[in-house]
Amino acid sequence: MTDILIAPRGVVTNSADPQDAPISWKRRLIRFGTLGGVVGALAIAAATLPLREIGDSVETLGAVAPAAVAVVGGLLLSVLVPRTMITLLCGLLLGAATGALAALAAAIIAATATYYAGRWAGRGALKARAGSKLDRLDGWLNRRGLSAVLLVRFLPLAPFGLVGYAYGTTSVCRKRYLLGTTIAAIPSTVTYAVIGAAVAAPGSMNAATLAPAAIGFAISTAIVLRWRYTSRRAAAAAAAAAVVVAPVMA
C-alpha cells in the first residue's frame, strides 16, 4: 500500500499533466511579470483598506460575515500579508471558534489560489535543466510528498502566500500539497484565533490556548526525526549493496 506521507520512489506524479509541456523562457518571464504585477497591484490596494471601518462592516454583514472575512483574508494572504496577523484579526472580529474556521478557510483559499497561480507562471521551471540543483530539489520534494509539505508549512520559513507560489512551480502533487497545508494550518490557526478573541474578551486565554501550537511543533519535530531515520536506513542499505556488488564486479 502506498505511503501517503512519502510518494513512491521511481514514480513521477502528474506525468500526464498538459502543463508539463516545455515553455520558452520568454513566455515564462512574461507570465512571471504578469503575476508579479497583479500581486503588486492587489498588495497596494490591500494597504489602502480602511482598517478602522472593517469591524463595523463585519457587524453589518450578519450571517455572511465569516464567509466574507474568509474571502478577504484569502486575498490578503495571497498578496503576502502575514498569516499571523490575518488569524488574529479573524479571532478579534468573529470570536475564537468562528474566527478559527474563517481563518482556516482563508488559508485554504490562499493556498489554492497561490498554488495554481505559481503553476501557471512557473510550472516546469525547476526541471528546465535536467540534473541541475533545482531539478534535484524538485525531485526531492516530490519524493517526500505530504511530509515535505507538512514540514515547510509548520516551520515559518517564508510568508504563507510565497510558499504557495513556490510550490506551484514544483511537481508536488496538488492533493498532497492542499492536504498538508490544511493539516499544518490547523494548530496555529486555533492558537492565534483564540489569542485574537482574548483581546476583545480579556481573561478568556489560558494555558490550553498554546496547546495547538505545541502539537504543531511536536508533529514537525516528529517529521524531522522520521526523515533522519529513513535517510540513515537508505544510506546504510546503499552501503551494504555496494559491499555486495563490489566482489561481483571484480
Side-chain angles (χ1 to χ4, degrees), residues 137-158:
L137 172 62
D138 181 74
W140 182 83
L141 290 172
N142 196 21
R143 288 194 303 272
R144 292 299 179 180
L146 179 60
S147 58
V149 180
L150 286 171
L151 184 62
V152 172
R153 285 302 194 185
F154 274 128
L155 301 177
L157 302 176

Side-chain angles (χ1 to χ4, degrees), residues 9-113:
R9 296 183 182 276
V11 177
V12 179
T13 59
N14 296 332
S15 57
D17 193 335
Q19 295 190 38
D20 286 344
I23 300 176
S24 67
W25 278 106
K26 181 178 180 181
R27 186 176 179 184
R28 185 173 286 125
L29 287 174
I30 292 175
R31 290 189 177 188
F32 271 117
T34 302
L35 178 59
V38 171
V39 172
L42 291 175
I44 293 174
T48 63
L49 287 176
L51 297 180
R52 295 182 179 180
E53 300 177 5
I54 289 181
D56 296 334
S57 300
V58 169
E59 292 180 358
T60 61
L61 291 175
V64 300
V69 169
V71 172
V72 174
L75 176 62
L76 294 175
L77 289 174
S78 299
V79 297
L80 310 186
V81 174
R83 190 170 74 91
T84 300
M85 179 187 302
I86 300 299
T87 309
L88 289 171
L89 287 175
C90 286
L92 176 63
L93 297 173
L94 301 173
T98 305
L101 291 175
L104 182 60
I108 295 173
I109 291 172
T112 304

